[in-house]
Amino acid sequence: SSRDLKISFQYPHDWFTDERFRSILIASYNTKFGELKEQPEKGQLIIFINEFNPCYPSIEEDLIDNSCGERGPEFRRTIISKESSETKGGTLFTYIVNNSDKDGGRNTTYYLLQKGERILSFDPQPDALQFRKEFEAIVNSLEFID
């Protein structure tokens, strides 16, 4: 559970967690916020859970312009796909967004859990596919607590 983020969730018993600055780190290996490597090694996964603080009225507008208008229109991105599924904690949205050519033009996947006005972002690194079952179990177990 996290009192700061007002959530509870389950994770594999042999994984590790750390919480700082209203962020949660969940890792398949022993690490903490101050010890992070650039990228986990092969066969390792780290998931960051953070509050999603929008600038715009919709998630889509924030994904298209993630700098709240500060970087200009040449940095606007394109939503390639959007999927949604219901979980115990709310609606999980999976977006694939193409970055602007100024930002390298690569695709990025965003996982956002929304319940009413509350939105959390999940940032799995390197990606959730390697540990799909564990990632989905963590997301599906998450509940907002008041």
Side-chain angles (χ1 to χ4, degrees):
S1 294
S2 166
R3 281 191 224 135
D4 288 340
L5 290 178
K6 296 182 177 148
I7 60 172
S8 67
F9 59 93
Q10 297 176 0
Y11 59 94
H13 74 280
D14 56 345
W15 286 31
F16 301 86
T17 64
D18 192 18
E19 181 176 8
R20 291 206 185 135
F21 312 116
R22 300 179 62 85
S23 294
I24 297 174
L25 169 156
I26 306 170
S28 65
Y29 60 99
N30 191 1
T31 190
K32 297 181 187 239
F33 273 108
E35 302 170 356
L36 293 174
K37 308 171 200 166
E38 187 104 355
Q39 281 289 323
E41 294 177 12
K42 186 176 181 177
Q44 296 177 334
L45 178 70
I46 194 164
I47 302 168
F48 296 97
I49 302 175
N50 298 290
E51 286 182 310
F52 183 77
N53 297 309
C55 295
Y56 297 102
S58 74
I59 290 172
E60 286 83 7
E61 289 173 286
D62 276 284
L63 292 174
I64 290 168
D65 180 9
N66 71 334
S67 67
C68 299
E70 294 180 9
R71 294 178 72 193
E74 65 271 14
F75 287 94
R76 292 179 63 81
R77 304 178 304 174
T78 305
I79 296 174
I80 304 293
S81 69
K82 171 187 174 183
E83 294 179 13
S84 65
S85 61
E86 293 303 316
T87 71
K88 184 163 68 170
T91 304
L92 176 67
F93 295 99
T94 304
Y95 289 92
I96 298 177
V97 177
N98 182 264
N99 295 307
S100 70
D101 289 338
K102 296 250 183 200
D103 280 332
R106 61 181 166 35
N107 290 344
T108 303
T109 303
Y110 292 89
Y111 302 93
L112 302 167
L113 182 67
Q114 182 175 24
K115 182 175 182 182
E117 297 295 314
R118 298 197 53 201
I119 305 171
L120 294 177
S121 69
F122 294 82
D123 181 14
Q125 296 176 14
D127 61 49
L129 297 178
Q130 204 174 54
F131 289 93
R132 185 176 192 94
K133 184 175 105 179
E134 291 87 350
F135 177 75
E136 287 178 357
I138 291 167
V139 172
N140 287 326
S141 75
L142 191 138
E143 292 183 81
F144 290 97
I145 51 178
D146 297 317

